[in-house]
Amino acid sequence: MVFALQFVTVVFVCVLGMYNVIPTPLVIAVIVVITALAWFITRREWRPVRALARVVNRWDGQSPDPGLLRVEQLSAHTDADVASLTRGLHGFAVRLANYNQRERNFTRDASHELRSPLTVIKMSVDMLAEEEGLSDFGSRSVRRIKRATREMEVLVEALLVLAREADSPMDDRHFIVNDVLQEELEAAREMLSGRPIELLLEEPARFALQGSPQALSVLCWQLIRNASQQTEQGRVVISVLPGMISVRNHAEVLETGHAHSPPVENVDRHGFELAIAQRISDRFAWSLELQTLPGRENVASIRFPHPLPAEVAEAGV
């Protein structure tokens, strides 16, 4: 409507100028004034839309705040369409926040409930392993139960990490990456006991991070477990490079030239371990990259955007 009135007025003034009813300078002045008024009115009408756009740009989808999208916070001159859009966005934000909270509560409660039976199983298996006269079959069964229990413990820890609030104090600590990996490798070697797979740790670099050591521990465990599942015989190498960690599997090549590893097309690139690893890396803004290199070698790389010198964590300790 504003632009239509502007157009009609400009045409009318131009016609008057053509017939010398009004002088040319006055025609130009009227056009300038009308254009400025149209711009001012349009800018004023679009002010609520711009305000809503700024709120949406600042909106965090991971932890949405429905209070930012209340209609009461808009200008009193907001028209019905913008108000309707704001109410719709507010309702969506409320549903999304409730869903995130329900998922977080369920994950936390389920994880806590699983801890007690896992502790009982772990203690019972340790006592059974010390039993005298246990057969070879019984010993193998005990080792399998211990491995499964360890995997369940890591899964519970992963769920608890994902269930925590983003601003949890446990997620804001200084720690040395190399120390976390050394502890994980000890548990991983126990998990791979009896399998012809060697775990190696290469440390060309040493650095620290500010975040959750538990989250990094769970993330590396998932990648090591996934690499071990892709290798029947060989070695899994974990390398600490400047600002990154890589986990790669080297399948042992037989005399026939075939490797003890599943074909590339059968590699599960979207397994449960990688799904958990991807969620943790997204949560803490750690870039996770997956590659398949020639020779059936799978490489998982974690890049950290803000690595710190190891002395920072050592000074904090």
Side-chain angles (χ1 to χ4, degrees), residues 56 62 82 103 198 205 241 243 248 281 307:
V56 173
Q62 298 295 327
V82 176
E103 181 188 23
E198 183 182 9
L241 305 172
R248 62 186 186 275
S281 63

Side-chain angles (χ1 to χ4, degrees), residues 84-135:
S84 177
L85 178 60
T86 304
R87 282 192 293 268
L89 290 174
H90 179 262
F92 171 75
V94 170
R95 290 193 298 272
L96 185 60
N98 292 338
Y99 170 78
N100 289 341
Q101 188 62 42
R102 286 195 302 269
E103 181 188 23
R104 202 175 287 119
N105 291 340
F106 172 79
T107 305
R108 182 183 62 248
D109 296 341
S111 301
H112 282 299
E113 290 296 327
L114 286 173
R115 277 187 162 184
S116 298
L118 281 175
T119 302
V120 174
I121 295 173
K122 188 175 181 180
M123 294 177 61
S124 301
V125 170
D126 291 338
M127 295 175 61
L128 185 61
E130 298 176 358
E131 190 76 19
E132 296 182 0
L134 195 64
S135 64

Side-chain angles (χ1 to χ4, degrees), residues 45 139 195 213-214 267 282 287 297:
E45 290 296 326
S139 299
R195 295 183 58 187
Q214 184 185 20
V267 173
D282 292 343
S287 176
E297 178 181 355

Side-chain angles (χ1 to χ4, degrees), residues 117-118 120-126 128-129 134 137-153 190-191:
L118 281 175
V120 174
I121 295 173
K122 188 175 181 180
M123 294 177 61
S124 301
V125 170
D126 291 338
L128 185 61
L134 195 64
F137 177 78
S139 299
R140 290 195 301 270
S141 300
V142 167
R143 288 196 296 268
R144 285 197 296 268
I145 296 173
K146 291 181 69 173
R147 285 197 298 267
T149 304
R150 171 57 183 167
E151 292 174 2
M152 282 296 298
E153 284 182 331
E190 183 179 352
M191 179 190 71

